[in-house]
Amino acid sequence: MAIRDGMTSKLRKITTAFSRANREIRVTGALSDQVQPGSGFDRAKPKIDKTSESIRQFNNRMDEAREKTLEVESGWSGVKSAVVAAISAIGVAKVIDLADTMTTTSARIDMINNGLQDTAELQSQIMASANRSRAAYQTTADAVTKMGIMAKDAFTTNGVLNTDELIAFTELINKQFTIAGTSAAGVDAAMLQLTQAMSSGVLRGEELNSIFEQAPTIIQSIADYLDVPIGKIRSMAQEGQITATIVKNAMFDSATQINEKFNSMPMTFAQVGNIVKNVLLDAFGPAIQVIGSGAQWIYDNWSRIEPVVSGVATAVGILVAAYVLYNAVQGITNTLQAISTARAAMQAGMTIAQAAATKTATGAQVGLNAAMLANPMTWVILVIAALVGAIIFLIQKVGGLKNAWEICKAALVVAWTALKVAFFAVYNWIANLIDKLKLCWQKAGTA
């Protein structure tokens, strides 16, 4: 994530302009001080005093503006630092897990695609539905894909899966969960039971009990559609009368009432968080999907990639040689320039300059040799070459790229977990110390 700072440069330009104007005013004041007193000066003195007062006020305002500029710049730096810290807290392990999840979800969305649109358009429809229902995209996508795979017959029109109807149905269910105040765990449980009921074609037994408990508004919509008391739904369900078609039609029949109730519900921080996550996921989704698909692509094409990777070490070695050769050429060029300077000085009869030039040429050659050994870029490139070779050796040693990738993921997860454990250990130690201090005061008070 990159944050563009469009304010600081403008404010600095304003401050620079103020400083330049102030310098001109001070020069004018210095020149006015050199004017000799006289009748003309006496007549102009009131105006000069008035001008001096205006200059003083202007300087005060400029100082205030400079202070405000520094405050804004300092505040913006704090905002950037906070955002960078928040992004860093996401962690590599979470990015990898998210990439794997997005890859799996994209594959399931592709499975329910009816061919009337591409997978990217279907993903955009699901994202828009999630934002309208204030739900997380991943949760909504899971519900849509599971419903489309397991309960395909309930949303099939003329032998083709109606994805628009499927997404609209899931959106109404999400809104019902919000109206009923269902928790996140309750949403997962109820959605699983509802998907199983729609898949079997009948809502009854455990599925009905779960939905009754987690989202009674769904059962109320079914009762209103059938025009029966809600208490009669259980007996009808036992007889197998609450079919998947009835559940679907009941949701669409109650869409107006559901939307009205949903729109009257206040927005919560959790829902705002879902929308923010959806926006970020929509923005970075392509990059995350590339990360997720990259591992599979590398694994599938390793037979062609391996020779390329094996040649990287050779390429890096060539790069090192080219870099050293470039430095050598630069050193020779500098030496020739120094010799040319020495020759010119000798021709001009400048014996001292000739000696200095000769010394410069010798120093340039010595400096070249030292630079080639002390230049950090040379060692960095050598270290990169060694790392590439070590990586290739480890991949071959563990049995291939797939095993190496799994080991790498496991190591990242373990490292991230270790950091969290260390953080909470320190936090618990501090909390325990605070509790001990509280206990000490309570003991003193009791005594």
Side-chain angles (χ1 to χ4, degrees), residues 338 341-360:
T341 302
R343 183 181 296 120
M346 182 177 61
Q347 291 174 355
M350 299 175 61
T351 307
I352 298 175
Q354 177 184 10
T358 305
K359 185 178 181 180
T360 301

Side-chain angles (χ1 to χ4, degrees), residues 118-427:
D118 56 27
T119 302
E121 292 174 346
L122 197 54
Q123 287 177 321
S124 298
Q125 294 176 8
I126 296 174
M127 177 65 75
S129 174
N131 289 331
R132 287 193 299 267
S133 59
R134 309 174 193 173
Y137 166 78
Q138 198 60 54
T139 303
T140 305
D142 288 342
V144 170
T145 54
K146 289 178 181 177
M147 192 76 70
I149 294 173
M150 298 174 62
K152 182 178 181 180
D153 294 339
F155 300 93
T156 298
T157 304
N158 297 326
V160 178
L161 178 64
N162 191 334
T163 54
D164 293 337
E165 191 177 62
L166 175 61
I167 295 173
F169 176 82
T170 306
E171 180 179 336
L172 291 172
I173 294 297
N174 281 336
K175 291 180 178 179
Q176 288 277 40
F177 288 141
T178 299
I179 296 171
T182 310
S183 63
V187 170
D188 293 338
M191 186 62 76
L192 176 61
Q193 299 297 334
L194 181 61
T195 302
Q196 292 177 351
M198 298 294 288
S199 175
S200 63
V202 179
L203 178 62
R204 68 172 82 188
E206 183 181 351
E207 292 89 354
L208 178 67
N209 294 333
S210 178
I211 296 173
F212 242 125
E213 179 181 354
Q214 305 297 340
T217 53
I218 296 177
I219 306 301
Q220 184 62 58
S221 297
I222 297 173
D224 293 340
Y225 174 74
L226 296 175
D227 196 19
V228 297
I230 193 172
K232 192 177 179 181
I233 294 296
R234 290 187 183 276
S235 60
M236 295 179 65
Q238 291 177 356
E239 298 174 1
Q241 298 180 19
I242 310 299
T243 63
T245 302
I246 290 177
V247 174
K248 182 185 72 172
N249 293 339
M251 292 300 104
F252 289 127
D253 185 71
S254 305
T256 303
Q257 293 84 350
I258 293 173
N259 288 326
E260 289 178 355
K261 292 180 182 179
F262 177 79
N263 292 331
S264 65
M265 298 291 293
M267 182 78 75
T268 64
F269 281 109
Q271 293 169 352
V272 172
N274 287 335
I275 295 176
V276 171
K277 290 178 183 178
N278 292 345
V279 172
L280 293 176
L281 192 62
D282 191 28
F284 295 102
I288 294 174
Q289 288 181 350
V290 169
I291 294 173
S293 59
Q296 183 64 37
W297 183 88
I298 293 174
Y299 177 69
D300 293 339
N301 297 274
W302 178 244
S303 59
R304 288 181 291 179
I305 295 174
E306 185 174 12
V308 178
V309 176
S310 300
V312 170
T314 304
V316 172
I318 294 173
L319 181 61
V320 172
Y323 180 75
V324 173
L325 180 61
Y326 171 78
N327 283 335
V329 172
Q330 287 293 105
I332 293 172
T333 302
N334 294 336
T335 303
L336 291 176
Q337 289 178 352
I339 294 173
S340 177
T341 302
R343 183 181 296 120
M346 182 177 61
Q347 291 174 355
M350 299 175 61
T351 307
I352 298 175
Q354 177 184 10
T358 305
K359 185 178 181 180
T360 301
T362 305
Q365 183 62 45
V366 174
L368 170 63
N369 297 334
M372 291 175 63
L373 295 176
N375 195 319
M377 284 300 301
T378 302
W379 297 105
V380 168
I381 295 175
L382 290 174
V383 170
I384 293 175
L387 288 176
V388 171
I391 291 172
I392 295 174
F393 173 75
L394 290 175
I395 290 176
Q396 295 175 348
K397 186 175 181 180
V398 299
L401 179 63
K402 184 176 181 180
N403 293 338
W405 175 248
E406 294 297 332
I407 292 173
C408 180
K409 288 203 307 182
L412 290 174
V413 172
V414 170
W416 178 248
T417 304
L419 288 176
K420 290 195 294 185
V421 169
F423 171 78
F424 283 109
V426 175
Y427 170 80

